C-alpha cells in the first residue's frame, strides 16, 4: 500500500456505502471521536448512512420506523443520541404496592418512549390472543428536533387528563430504579451543597411533588391525546392517520417546552424546563404557620406567587413541625445520632426554581426469585431483569395466561378469567437448574398470591412421567418437568407449595398442572409491545400516585371505574 493512501486518507477514499459497513464495528462514541480528528473526517462521520446503521444496531425500533422517526429530527445522528438515551428505560418496571399489581412496561412510542401501566383485568371472550388488553399512560420521554429528551408525566385530576412537563437526568446504561423527584435549579453563580431529594422526609417529598405537578400541568386537545403510539392495524390508511395525529401531538408537546406556557427545551448549559420560580416565596421560607385546607387550595388554579406562597408555607409548617418533634425526641434520647432526614429549606436553598425530574439510576438491589427487594416509601419503579430465550434457557421471558383448560377463546356466556403475567427465569441451586415463574400481575378483584411470589418452580433436569391428566384431542407434549406450584394463597407471606408438572405443549405454550387438584395454569409467550399496541387505553390515576402507587392495597385500585380514555 502506498504511504499516501493510509490512515485517514484511506478512510476518505472509501465509498460511502463501504465506510458505512466499516462503521458497524464502531460505537456512537467512536464515531463522534473520529469526527473530531479533522474537517473531512467530520463530514464523513456525520453521514446519515453511517448513523442510520448505528440506529439499526441499537435495535430499539425496526428500520421502517427509523425512517419515519427521522422525519421528526434533524438527522440520524440526533435520532441515535435519543435512542441511546432511552434504550436503558425499555422493559418491565414494578413496585411492591399494591400487591395486586403495579406493572409498568416502557416501550417505544413515536419518536418517544412510553411507560404503560398494565391494568389487572380479566380476559374477555376473545382471550389473550385477540382480546384488547387494558392499559393507562404513566409517562413519556419525547425527543425534540435535536435528539434531546423531554419528560412528561401523565395524570388525571377532577375529571380531566393532564400532562406534567419535567426534565430527565442523564440515564445510566445499567439503570434499575426510576425515581420521580423534584429538583432545584441553580441559576446563580453562588455554589451551594446539594441535598438529594431522597433525604427529605416522606411527607415533604409528597407535598413538593403535589405542589409542582399542580402548577406545571398542561392539557392537550382531546383529539391530539387519543394515541401515544401507532395502533397495530392492517389497514394502511389507518396507520397513516395514526402517524399524522402523532406528529401533531408531538408538535404540541414541544411547544409546551419551547416558549409555550413558559417552558423551554432542555439543552446543554441552559436552564431546566418546566420549572416553578422560587423568588416569589423566598421571603416566606422561614414561616412555620399556615391555615386553611391545603387540599382544596391545590385543586384551584391560582397565580404562581399566590399558589406557591400558600403551598410552601403549609409544607414548611408540616416539615418544621415534624422535624421539630424529631429534634425534641433526639435531644431527649441518649443516642446522640444525627437527624435521618434533611430539612426542607436546606433542599430548596441552592435553587432559584424547582421542577419535576425523572431520575434513572443504578443501585445495588437484592432480589428473591427475580423480584427485587425494594424500598416501599420512595416514588420509584424497579426494573425486572429480563432475558430472552436462548440455548439452554428456552423458556425465559414474559408469559401470560390464566387458569383453565383447554386454552383459547372463552365463550360469550362464561365469565372472564383472571389474567396472569409471569416472568420466567432460570437459577442454579444445589447443582440443580430451576425454572422459576415469578408472578408480576394478577387480574383478580382481590389478591390471592403475594406479589413477586413463585407461581411454580420446576427442575429442568428432572423429567416428569406424569401423563397429561385432562381429556382432550391428541396432544403432542414435547417435554414435561417435575416441580411444585404455589399453594394456600395469600394466607401466607411465603406460601406453601404442592407437587405438579410443567408440560411444554410447544415453544409458545406451557401448562403447569397441580397433581392433587388437577388445576391447570395455561401460559403463552407474550410480546408486550404487540399486546399493548392492540390494547385499549383507560384513564390514569392522579399524577404522583400514577407514577408509583405507594399505598398498600389488596384490591384492584387501578381498575376502579374502568373508563376508556
Amino acid at each position: 500500500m502506498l504511504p499516501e493512501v493510509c490512515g485517514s486518507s484511506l478512510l476518505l477514499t472509501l465509498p460511502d456505502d463501504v465506510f458505512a459497513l466499516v462503521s458497524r464495528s464502531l460505537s456512537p462514541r467512536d464515531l463522534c471521536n473520529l469526527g473530531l480528528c479533522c474537517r473531512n473526517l467530520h463530514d464523513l462521520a456525520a453521514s446519515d448512512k453511517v448513523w442510520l446503521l448505528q440506529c439499526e444496531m441499537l435495535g430499539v425500533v425496526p428500520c421502517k420506523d427509523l425512517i419515519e422517526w427521522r422525519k421528526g429530527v434533524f438527522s440520524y445522528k440526533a435520532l441515535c443520541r435519543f435512542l441511546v438515551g432511552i434504550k436503558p428505560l425499555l422493559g418491565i418496571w414494578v413496585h411492591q404496592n399494591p400487591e395486586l399489581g403495579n406493572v409498568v412496561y416502557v416501550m417505544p412510542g413515536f419518536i418517544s418512549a412510553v411507560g404503560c401501566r398494565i391494568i389487572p383485568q380479566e380476559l374477555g371472550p376473545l382471550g389473550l390472543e385477540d382480546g384488547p388488553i387494558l392499559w393507562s399512560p404513566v409517562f413519556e420521554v419525547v425527543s425534540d428536533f435535536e435528539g434531546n429528551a423531554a419528560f412528561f408525566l401523565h395524570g388525571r385530576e377532577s375529571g380531566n387528563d393532564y400532562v406534567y412537563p419535567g426534565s430527565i437526568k442523564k440515564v445510566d446504561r445499567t439503570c434499575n430504579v426510576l425515581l420521580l423527584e423534584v429538583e432545584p435549579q441553580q441559576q446563580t453563580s453562588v455554589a451551594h451543597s446539594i441535598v438529594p431529594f431522597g433525604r427529605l422526609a416522606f411527607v415533604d417529598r409528597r407535598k413538593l411533588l403535589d405542589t409542582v405537578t399542580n402548577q406545571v400541568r398542561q392539557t392537550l386537545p382531546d383529539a391530539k391525546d387519543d394515541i401515544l403510539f401507532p395502533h397495530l392495524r392492517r389497514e394502511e390508511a389507518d396507520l397513516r392517520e395514526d402517524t399524522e395525529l402523532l406528529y401533531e401531538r408531538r408538535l404540541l408537546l414541544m411547544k409546551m417546552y419551547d416558549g409555550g406556557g413558559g417552558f423551554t427545551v432542555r439543552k446543554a448549559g441552559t436552564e431546566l424546563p418546566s420549572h416553578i420560580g422560587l423568588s416569589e416565596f423566598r421571603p416566606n421560607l422561614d414561616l412555620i404557620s399556615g391555615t386553611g385546607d391545603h387540599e382544596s387550595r391545590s385543586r384551584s388554579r391560582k397565580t404562581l406567587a399566590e399558589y406557591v406562597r400558600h403551598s410552601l408555607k403549609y409544607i414548611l409548617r408540616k416539615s418544621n413541625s415534624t422535624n421539630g418533634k424529631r429534634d425534641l425526641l433526639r435531644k431527649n434520647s441518649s443516642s446522640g445520632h444525627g437527624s435521618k432526614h434533611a430539612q426542607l429549606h436546606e433542599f430548596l436553598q441552592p435553587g432559584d426554581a424547582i421542577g419535576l425530574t425523572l431520575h434513572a439510576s443504578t443501585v445495588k438491589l437484592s432480589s428473591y426469585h427475580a423480584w427485587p427487594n425494594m424500598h416501599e416509601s420512595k416514588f420509584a419503579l424497579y426494573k425486572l431483569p429480563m432475558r430472552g430465550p436462548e440455548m439452554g434457557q428456552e423458556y425465559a421471558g414474559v408469559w401470560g395466561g390464566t387458569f383453565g383448560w383447554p386454552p383459547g377463546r372463552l365463550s360469550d356466556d362464561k365469565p372472564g378469567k383472571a389474567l396472569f403475567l409471569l416472568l420466567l427465569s432460570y437459577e442454579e441451586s444445589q447443582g440443580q437448574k430451576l425454572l422459576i415463574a415469578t408472578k408480576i400481575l394478577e387480574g383478580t378483584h382481590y389478591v390471592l398470591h403475594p406479589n413477586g411470589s413463585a407461581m411454580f418452580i420446576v427442575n429442568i433436569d428432572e423429567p416428569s412421567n406424569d401423563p397429561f391428566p385432562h381429556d382432550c384431542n391428541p396432544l403432542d407434549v414435547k417435554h414435561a418437568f417435575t416441580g411444585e406450584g404455589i399453594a394456600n394463597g395469600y394466607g401466607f407471606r411465603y406460601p406453601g407449595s404442592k407437587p405438579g408438572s410443567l408440560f411444554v405443549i410447544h415453544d409458545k405454550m406451557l401448562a403447569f398442572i397441580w397433581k392433587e387438584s388437577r388445576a391447570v395454569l395455561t401460559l403463552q409467550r407474550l410480546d408486550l409491545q404487540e399486546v399493548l399496541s392492540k390494547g385499549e387505553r383507560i384513564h390514569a390515576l392522579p399524577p404522583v400516585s400514577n407514577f408509583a402507587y405507594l399505598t398498600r392495597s389488596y384490591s384492584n385500585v387501578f381498575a376502579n371505574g374502568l373508563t376508556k380514555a
Side-chain angles (χ1 to χ4, degrees):
M1 180 177 295
L2 296 176
E4 62 272 15
V5 188
C6 62
S8 62
S9 299
L10 173 61
L11 293 176
L12 293 171
T13 60
L14 295 176
D16 289 348
D17 292 340
V18 176
F19 179 76
L21 292 174
V22 172
S23 70
R24 295 180 67 93
S25 301
L26 304 177
S27 68
R29 182 187 295 272
D30 294 333
L31 279 174
C32 290
N33 290 334
L34 183 64
L36 296 175
C37 295
C38 67
R39 180 176 298 177
N40 289 334
L41 283 177
H42 176 272
D43 295 339
L44 185 64
S47 165
D48 254 9
K49 289 183 179 180
V50 169
W51 287 101
L52 172 58
L53 279 174
Q54 291 291 321
C55 292
E56 284 186 88
M57 289 191 296
L58 287 170
V60 175
V61 293
C63 185
K64 62 181 181 63
D65 292 337
L66 291 174
I67 295 172
E68 195 65 48
W69 286 26
R70 166 64 178 85
K71 299 175 184 178
V73 294
F74 288 146
S75 64
Y76 278 116
K77 182 177 181 180
L79 180 57
C80 187
R81 181 189 305 119
F82 177 70
L83 295 176
V84 168
I86 66 168
K87 185 175 182 179
L89 301 178
L90 305 180
I92 299 176
W93 300 78
V94 296
H95 195 279
Q96 182 64 36
N97 296 331
E99 285 280 354
L100 191 57
N102 202 347
V103 179
V104 176
Y105 183 67
V106 181
M107 56 183 274
F110 182 75
I111 323 179
S112 66
V114 182
C116 303
R117 170 166 286 112
I118 303 174
I119 306 300
Q121 59 200 275
E122 293 180 344
L123 293 176
L126 297 180
L128 184 60
E129 188 67 30
D130 299 313
I133 296 297
L134 302 179
W135 62 274
S136 65
V138 178
F139 66 84
E140 293 176 84
V141 178
V142 183
S143 172
D144 71 359
F145 300 108
E146 297 179 350
N148 301 306
F151 168 65
F152 292 88
L153 178 67
H154 282 260
R156 185 172 176 84
E157 301 177 79
S158 304
N160 296 313
D161 291 322
Y162 294 99
V163 290
Y164 305 80
S167 62
I168 178 170
K169 292 185 178 180
K170 183 179 179 181
V171 177
D172 290 348
R173 290 187 178 183
T174 58
C175 63
N176 57 1
V177 177
L178 277 183
L179 297 159
L180 181 65
E181 299 182 340
V182 168
E183 184 177 73
Q185 175 196 343
Q186 185 172 339
Q187 294 178 326
T188 63
S189 59
V190 180
H192 294 279
S193 60
I194 298 176
V195 176
F197 183 72
R199 281 199 57 206
L200 295 174
F202 177 80
V203 65
D204 293 338
R205 286 183 274 130
R206 180 64 194 238
K207 294 299 182 182
L208 273 175
L209 286 169
D210 285 341
T211 299
V212 174
T213 53
N214 187 278
Q215 200 60 36
V216 303
R217 67 189 184 191
Q218 298 285 307
T219 57
L220 287 171
D222 291 341
K224 302 298 188 296
D225 204 31
D226 286 341
I227 58 174
L228 280 70
F229 40 77
H231 290 154
L232 263 187
R233 297 170 175 165
R234 295 180 180 177
E235 297 81 1
E236 188 67 26
D238 289 335
L239 183 59
R240 286 197 300 268
E241 181 182 348
D242 282 357
T243 303
E244 291 174 2
L245 287 174
L246 287 166
Y247 270 123
E248 292 181 37
R249 183 179 181 278
R250 176 171 170 269
L251 287 175
L252 287 174
L253 291 175
M254 289 299 99
K255 285 181 180 179
M256 290 182 182
Y257 271 82
D258 193 11
F263 303 125
T264 58
V265 177
R266 182 185 183 184
K267 298 180 181 179
T270 62
E271 62 182 16
L272 290 174
S274 320
H275 65 269
I276 299 176
L278 301 185
S279 59
E280 296 290 347
F281 61 76
R282 179 68 67 185
N284 300 302
L285 289 179
D286 293 331
L287 296 177
I288 58 174
S289 62
T291 57
D293 182 6
H294 172 69
E295 294 299 330
S296 63
R297 284 198 300 272
S298 67
R299 286 192 293 268
S300 63
R301 297 288 286 178
K302 300 186 177 183
T303 65
L304 177 62
E306 185 181 3
Y307 177 81
V308 176
R309 180 163 55 250
H310 285 297
S311 299
L312 266 293
K313 280 168 61 178
Y314 178 85
I315 296 174
L316 287 168
R317 177 176 64 83
K318 295 293 289 183
S319 174
N320 281 287
S321 174
T322 303
N323 291 326
K325 293 177 181 178
R326 189 183 298 112
D327 291 341
L328 181 61
L329 290 172
R330 188 172 65 252
K331 289 178 182 178
N332 291 335
S333 70
S334 58
S335 64
H337 294 304
S339 175
K340 178 182 177 182
H341 300 296
Q343 300 286 328
L344 185 57
H345 70 271
E346 296 174 337
F347 172 77
L348 295 172
Q349 184 67 29
D352 300 301
I354 54 177
L356 283 180
T357 299
L358 181 68
H359 185 194
S361 64
T362 304
V363 300
K364 187 176 181 180
L365 290 176
S366 59
S367 63
Y368 180 73
H369 291 337
W371 185 262
N373 296 317
M374 60 191 69
H375 199 294
E376 296 189 6
S377 65
K378 288 186 177 180
F379 298 95
L381 296 170
Y382 296 80
K383 194 171 191 178
L384 292 182
M386 282 287 299
R387 296 190 64 176
E390 57 186 46
M391 184 67 68
Q393 298 190 6
E394 289 81 3
Y395 312 116
V398 181
W399 296 71
T402 188
F403 280 91
W405 185 268
R409 298 190 177 190
L410 305 173
S411 62
D412 294 328
D413 58 345
K414 291 184 179 179
K417 296 181 179 180
L419 167 66
F420 282 80
L421 291 185
L422 306 182
L423 176 65
L424 270 60
S425 58
Y426 289 77
E427 286 187 12
E428 297 283 344
S429 177
Q430 299 179 350
Q432 297 179 335
K433 187 176 183 179
L434 304 180
L435 177 62
I436 302 172
T438 303
K439 189 210 87 175
I440 61 176
L441 186 79
E442 178 178 346
T444 53
H445 294 293
Y446 192 83
V447 67
L448 299 176
H449 310 88
N451 222 356
S453 59
M455 293 298 292
F456 59 79
I457 300 176
V458 298
N459 185 351
I460 295 298
D461 297 326
E462 186 176 342
S464 173
N465 295 320
D466 293 338
F468 197 87
H470 291 269
D471 295 333
C472 55
N473 295 326
L475 190 66
D476 183 18
V477 176
K478 293 181 61 177
H479 304 286
F481 307 105
T482 299
E484 294 182 331
I486 195 169
N488 302 322
Y490 192 81
F492 298 82
R493 185 63 189 92
Y494 298 99
S497 58
K498 291 187 177 181
S501 297
L502 178 68
F503 295 88
V504 180
I505 312 302
H506 51 72
D507 290 341
K508 295 185 178 181
M509 179 171 288
L510 306 175
F512 185 86
I513 301 181
W514 280 259
K515 190 170 185 177
E516 180 180 328
S517 65
R518 293 164 59 99
V520 184
L521 177 60
T522 307
L523 301 173
Q524 64 185 80
R525 187 181 290 280
L526 288 187
D527 181 336
L528 286 179
Q529 181 172 341
E530 179 180 336
V531 168
L532 291 171
S533 296
K534 295 188 297 185
E536 292 185 5
R537 173 181 169 180
I538 68 171
H539 291 302
L541 296 173
V544 180
S545 295
N546 192 44
F547 186 81
Y549 193 91
L550 296 189
T551 304
R552 180 171 288 281
S553 174
Y554 307 106
S555 60
N556 192 350
V557 298
F558 298 122
N560 290 337
L562 287 177
T563 305
K564 296 180 183 179

